[in-house]
């Protein structure tokens, strides 16, 4: 245990994957930024600009969507891997915004994988059209084209960063994509895509994107062999994973830690530690099952105290008690080594706290959330109650700063999820962090 957030220095370092262990919005941005002080490379390995990370550093607020959280650290290499889908115009706007806040971004500090798929304007249009016309069950997407771009990647018709370097290849790729998309658009009542206008836009943005492009897989493997410390940054949360999430109310990529390897082109043996980010209660944005959701004053209080509005969409997050059964499940599927428990201070002042330890389904007790959607909808949470605390935990930087009942809550969470707490975050500020186990220590 540590008396504060200062990380002890050591020569032997591990490569660390950071993943969200709930439905996203767990506070990954701050933790990645905090850990990146000791990393040499920070790599995003999946998702798109539907993810939102908010960093608060010395009172300055940075809102990141496509850029890795490590960009705010000077002298680090930030990487956007091939597992990400990238909107080039959004990225350039984000770079402009962050640069205006005093952050230097150059080809020496940012690299984009040459095989990264590009989100084009028609992907967002298709995303929104589908959601608006879906009268059966809305998924709750952000409408930013992430899903349709991943579909094109699997369908082998996506335009990738490397394609921007050759006009003939680019035009061929665009033609292939339009055969598919114009047929879809006709069925949805949308006008055909203007081919020449799209190609002109891509040629215009190409020089600005290509200056950051490189063989990420090669660079990452060279960095690993040279003993450099790599921090892999995930987006969203494991419960939104396309395979292991609450399908179909999920994102369009694999979110769990195994994706870190394929998302940048580095072997799974390069991963030494998986840090799962876990909020001290539970939130969700969009549609889908949520067993511990609260529609009462407690839920309202969690939302207000936690400022629960999406970084990307501004949508109000649904709030509920901590679900230990779900986090235990995601820790297993991601192979989590230790967790970072965030937003403990939001629970300050609650007389009684509840933790979901399992579910009741048609009279049968389960210790996991079943896969079938109809069964998920019928699961009723089984709660364990714990006494709360009246003292403030906000800004605590050591265990001695925490109330006894807060420590008991943390210890009970560890027991129920069968995974130790490595870090404890008590405010959005970078240094308000208690170190228990150093993820970077080999």
């Amino acid at each position: 245990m540590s008396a504060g957030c200062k990380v002890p220095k050591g020569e032997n370092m591990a490569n660390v994957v950071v993943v969200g262990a709930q439905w996203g919005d767990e506070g990954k941005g701050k933790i990645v930024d905090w850990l990146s002080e000791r990393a040499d490379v920070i790599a995003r390995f999946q998702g798109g600009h539907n993810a939102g990370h908010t960093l608060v550093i010395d009172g300055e607020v940075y809102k990141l969507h496509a850029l890795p959280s490590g960009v705010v650290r000077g002298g680090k290499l930030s990487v956007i891997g091939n597992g990400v889908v990238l909107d080039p115009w959004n990225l350039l706007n984000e770079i402009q915004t962050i640069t205006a806040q005093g952050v230097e971004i150059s080809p020496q500090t940012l690299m984009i994988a040459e095989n990264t798929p590009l989100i084009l304007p028609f992907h967002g249009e298709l995303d929104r059209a589908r959601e608006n016309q879906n009268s059966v069950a809305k998924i709750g997407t952000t409408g930013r084209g992430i899903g349709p771009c991943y579909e094109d990647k699997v369908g082998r018709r996506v335009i990738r960063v490397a394609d921007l370097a050759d006009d003939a290849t680019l035009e061929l790729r665009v033609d292939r994509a339009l055969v598919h998309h114009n047929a879809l658009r006709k069925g949805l009542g949308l006008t055909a895509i203007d081919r020449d206008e799209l190609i002109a836009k891509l040629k215009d943005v190409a020089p600005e994107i290509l200056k950051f492009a490189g063989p990420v897989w090669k660079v990452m493997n060279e960095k690993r062999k040279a003993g450099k410390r790599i921090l892999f940054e995930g987006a969203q949360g494991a419960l939104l994973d396309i395979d292991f999430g609450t399908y179909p109310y999920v994102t369009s990529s694999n979110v769990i830690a195994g994706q870190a390897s394929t998302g940048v082109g580095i072997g799974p043996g390069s991963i030494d530690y998986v840090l799962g980010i876990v909020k001290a209660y539970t939130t969700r944005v969009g549609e889908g099952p949520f067993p511990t959701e609260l529609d009462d004053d407690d839920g309202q209080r969690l939302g207000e105290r936690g400022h629960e509005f999406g970084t990307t969409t501004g949508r109000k997050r649904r709030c509920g008690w901590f679900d230990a059964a779900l986090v235990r499940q995601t820790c297993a599927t991601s192979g989590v080594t230790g967790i970072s428990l965030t937003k403990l201070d939001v629970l300050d002042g609650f007389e009684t706290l509840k933790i979901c330890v399992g579910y009741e389904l048609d009279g049968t007790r389960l210790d996991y959330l079943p896969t079938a959607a109809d069964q998920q909808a019928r699961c009723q949470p089984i709660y364990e109650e714990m006494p709360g605390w009246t003292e403030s935990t906000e800004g605590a930087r050591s265990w001695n700063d925490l109330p006894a009942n807060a420590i008991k809550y943390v210890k009970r969470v560890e027991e129920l999820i069968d995974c130790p707490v490595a870090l404890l975050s008590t405010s959005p500020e970078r240094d308000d962090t208690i170190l228990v186990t150093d993820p970077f220590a080999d």
Side-chain angles (χ1 to χ4, degrees), residues 59-99:
E60 182 80 22
V61 178
Y62 302 89
K63 293 184 180 294
L64 305 177
H65 302 277
L67 288 169
S69 296
V71 295
V72 299
R73 294 278 188 180
K76 311 289 181 178
L77 175 62
S78 290
V79 168
I80 296 176
N82 56 276
V84 174
V85 288
L86 184 68
D87 182 323
W89 299 278
N90 176 272
L91 175 68
L92 294 178
N93 287 337
E94 189 172 326
I95 289 174
Q96 185 177 26
T97 299
I98 297 300
T99 300

Side-chain angles (χ1 to χ4, degrees), residues 73-246:
R73 294 278 188 180
K76 311 289 181 178
L77 175 62
S78 290
V79 168
I80 296 176
N82 56 276
V84 174
V85 288
L86 184 68
D87 182 323
W89 299 278
N90 176 272
L91 175 68
L92 294 178
N93 287 337
E94 189 172 326
I95 289 174
Q96 185 177 26
T97 299
I98 297 300
T99 300
Q101 292 184 270
V103 177
E104 180 184 354
I105 298 177
S106 70
Q108 286 69 49
T109 60
L110 176 66
M111 176 178 285
I112 303 171
E114 296 169 318
N115 51 339
T116 299
L118 297 178
I119 301 172
L120 304 182
F122 59 73
H123 288 128
E125 293 168 4
L126 176 60
D127 206 356
R128 294 185 291 273
R130 283 174 170 171
E131 190 76 353
N132 291 336
Q133 295 186 26
N134 191 347
S135 59
V136 179
K138 292 184 180 295
I139 301 299
T141 75
T142 60
R144 294 170 185 250
I146 281 77
C149 186
Y150 274 117
E151 290 177 40
D152 278 359
K153 176 182 178 178
V154 175
R156 294 165 290 185
R157 55 181 171 266
V158 81
I159 289 89
R160 305 194 296 180
V161 169
D163 298 331
L164 297 175
D166 181 75
D167 289 351
T169 300
L170 178 61
E171 293 182 16
L172 182 65
R173 297 284 188 268
V174 168
D175 288 340
R176 180 176 175 81
L178 295 196
V179 169
H180 174 80
H181 279 276
N182 279 333
L184 277 180
R185 292 169 71 89
K186 184 176 181 180
L188 290 167
L190 300 175
T191 58
I193 298 164
D194 188 322
R195 173 188 184 274
D196 294 339
E197 180 183 2
L198 175 60
I199 291 174
K201 285 182 177 179
L202 287 168
K203 288 182 179 179
D204 181 61
V205 80
E208 293 302 311
I209 297 299
L210 287 171
K211 69 182 181 182
F212 296 108
V216 159
W217 67 269
K218 183 175 185 293
V219 171
M220 292 291 284
N221 279 277
E222 289 172 348
K223 296 286 187 183
R224 181 186 64 81
K225 290 178 181 178
K228 301 300 183 182
R229 295 156 291 183
I230 303 171
L231 185 61
F232 301 87
E233 177 184 9
Q236 290 103 17
L239 291 170
L240 295 175
D241 186 270
I242 188 68
D243 288 307
F244 294 99
T246 48

Side-chain angles (χ1 to χ4, degrees), residues 242-323:
I242 188 68
D243 288 307
F244 294 99
T246 48
Y247 190 91
Y249 305 100
V250 293
T251 193
S252 300
S253 61
N254 285 115
V255 179
I256 60 176
Q259 176 63 20
S261 177
T262 55
V264 299
I266 196 168
S270 303
I271 298 170
D272 302 297
Y273 192 102
V274 178
L275 182 68
I277 314 300
V278 179
K279 197 176 289 186
Y281 50 102
T282 311
T283 62
R284 176 166 200 169
V285 172
E287 308 296 327
F290 186 169
T292 66
E293 184 173 12
L294 297 172
D295 294 318
D296 56 11
D297 291 342
D298 286 338
Q300 182 72 15
R301 184 177 177 183
L302 288 171
E304 290 174 355
R305 286 182 57 85
H307 306 290
E308 296 297 351
F309 295 91
T311 302
T312 299
T313 63
R315 289 184 292 181
K316 183 179 179 181
R317 298 178 186 133
R318 301 153 64 189
C319 298
W321 295 120
F322 184 79
D323 193 329

